[in-house]
């Protein structure tokens, strides 16, 4: 990989947004060298919650996005899974908790199969809702997360977790689940983590992924040193153009930080190459 910027978590949506071809073109033009595309919500591509055929379409859509990026000369992989918002939707639709858990386990098994077949590099984004939910919903999601981590362990894959932002308690809970699952915690990505918690998550063995679009969070994360990766979390929805930072803006910002001396070239390399390599290992050659 020619040294450049790596976006650890982004989405592309040909249905609601500009699509992977244009996302990749703009990112590469801004100095991007690598990007991980992560599954969206099933209904964001026109699907129905709880429909297994639509989960397959969702995963295939994510895989195609990564293929587009590789075709343009970028390092890229797909992370496939079902968002925890799907659990909430299904419970609200009258599904029993056991039915929801069975469906999510099936989705995790399918994601693991995509990894085994070489079509994906990780599972995600599974996890917990980032908004307040009843205790029983969180417990259901934790059971799913534990199963996902176990399946990631089985197939030697990374996991991207969607989580609430409740400080060190969130980090500690993920570390406990990773230990219970027997998975290498460095393969567990705490997606969209608070910048100020990057050092703490790293100390617990986890991989913090810091969003560039939240003001000041990158700078907070850097106080602990280059112990994290960065992400745009771009949602690619024309109706929400300013919701999160685009990958090409992430690339421009990082390069500006280097030129201004905020970030050394060595630190940039650690964030965009070495730390990425520790998460995906041989599944995403850099």
């Amino acid at each position: 990989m020619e040294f450049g910027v790596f976006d650890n978590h982004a989405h592309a949506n040909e249905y609601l947004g500009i699509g992977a071809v244009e996302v990749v073109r703009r990112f590469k033009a801004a100095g991007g060298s690598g990007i991980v595309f992560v599954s969206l919500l099933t209904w964001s591509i026109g699907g129905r919650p709880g429909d297994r055929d639509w989960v397959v379409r969702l995963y295939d859509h994510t895989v195609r996005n990564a293929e587009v990026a590789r075709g343009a000369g970028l390092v890229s992989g797909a992370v496939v899974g079902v968002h925890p918002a799907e659990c909430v939707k299904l419970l609200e639709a009258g599904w029993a908790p056991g039915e929801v858990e069975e469906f999510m386990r099936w989705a995790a098994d399918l994601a693991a199969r995509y990894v085994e077949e070489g079509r994906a590099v990780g599972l995600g984004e599974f996890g917990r809702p980032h908004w307040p939910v009843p205790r029983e919903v969180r417990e259901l999601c934790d059971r799913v997360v534990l199963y996902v981590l176990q399946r990631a362990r089985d197939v030697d894959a990374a996991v991207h977790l969607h989580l609430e932002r409740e400080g060190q308690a969130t980090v500690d809970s993920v570390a406990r689940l990773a230990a219970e699952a027997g998975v290498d915690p460095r393969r567990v990505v705490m997606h969209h983590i608070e910048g100020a918690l990057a050092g703490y998550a790293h100390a617990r063995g986890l991989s913090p992924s810091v969003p560039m679009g939240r003001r000041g969070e990158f700078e907070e994360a850097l106080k602990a040193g280059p112990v994290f990766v960065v992400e745009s979390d771009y949602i690619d929805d024309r109706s929400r153009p300013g919701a999160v930072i685009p990958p090409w803006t992430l690339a421009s910002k990082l390069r500006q930080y280097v030129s201004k001396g905020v970030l050394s070239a060595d630190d940039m390399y650690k964030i965009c190459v070495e730390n990425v390599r520790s998460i995906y290992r041989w599944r995403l050659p850099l």
Side-chain angles (χ1 to χ4, degrees), residues 224-245:
V227 299
F228 55 93
V229 292
V230 292
E231 62 175 63
S232 65
D233 198 17
Y234 183 59
I235 59 173
D236 196 17
D237 185 339
R238 292 181 187 274
S239 69
R240 301 175 64 194
V244 288
I245 194 171

Side-chain angles (χ1 to χ4, degrees), residues 10-200:
H11 308 281
N13 190 338
E14 62 193 63
Y15 302 94
L16 299 179
I18 60 178
V21 171
E22 184 62 15
V23 169
V24 166
R25 186 192 69 78
R26 296 185 190 184
F27 180 57
K28 184 177 181 180
S33 291
I35 189 167
V36 168
F37 281 112
V38 184
S39 292
L40 288 155
L41 301 159
T42 50
W43 54 91
S44 68
I45 63 166
R48 296 180 297 275
D51 187 315
R52 297 190 180 197
D53 288 340
W54 272 106
V55 173
V56 173
R57 294 187 200 184
L58 177 70
Y59 289 10
D60 288 346
H61 177 262
T62 313
V63 169
R64 286 196 302 273
N65 290 342
E67 289 172 346
V68 166
R70 290 195 297 272
L74 302 185
V75 173
S76 187
V79 168
V80 295
V82 173
H83 195 283
E86 190 121 353
C87 294
V88 178
K89 283 268 192 183
L90 296 178
L91 290 169
E92 291 174 344
W95 285 40
E99 293 175 317
V100 174
E101 187 171 349
E102 180 186 4
F103 170 74
M104 295 299 288
R105 282 173 172 255
W106 170 84
D109 287 339
L110 180 64
R113 189 192 317 161
Y114 272 59
V115 171
E116 287 182 305
E117 294 172 352
R119 303 173 67 190
V121 299
L123 287 66
E125 56 188 280
F126 292 95
R128 299 191 292 247
H130 63 268
W131 61 94
V133 293
R135 178 179 54 81
E136 56 269 24
V137 175
R138 179 176 172 126
E139 290 174 350
L140 185 156
C141 289
D142 273 353
R143 291 195 298 273
V144 171
V145 168
L146 178 61
Y147 186 75
V148 168
L149 294 174
Q150 291 168 335
R151 296 299 288 123
R153 175 203 63 201
D154 294 342
V155 299
D156 191 20
V159 179
H160 284 219
L161 293 181
H162 178 103
L163 301 159
E164 73 289 346
R165 287 182 146 213
E166 293 181 0
Q168 292 186 359
T170 296
V171 177
D172 291 339
S173 70
V174 173
R176 285 194 297 270
L177 287 167
E180 185 175 350
V183 68
D184 180 351
R186 199 64 67 200
R187 313 297 298 279
V188 181
V189 174
M190 291 195 65
H191 152 59
H192 215 95
I193 193 173
E194 300 100 309
L197 284 176
Y200 185 74

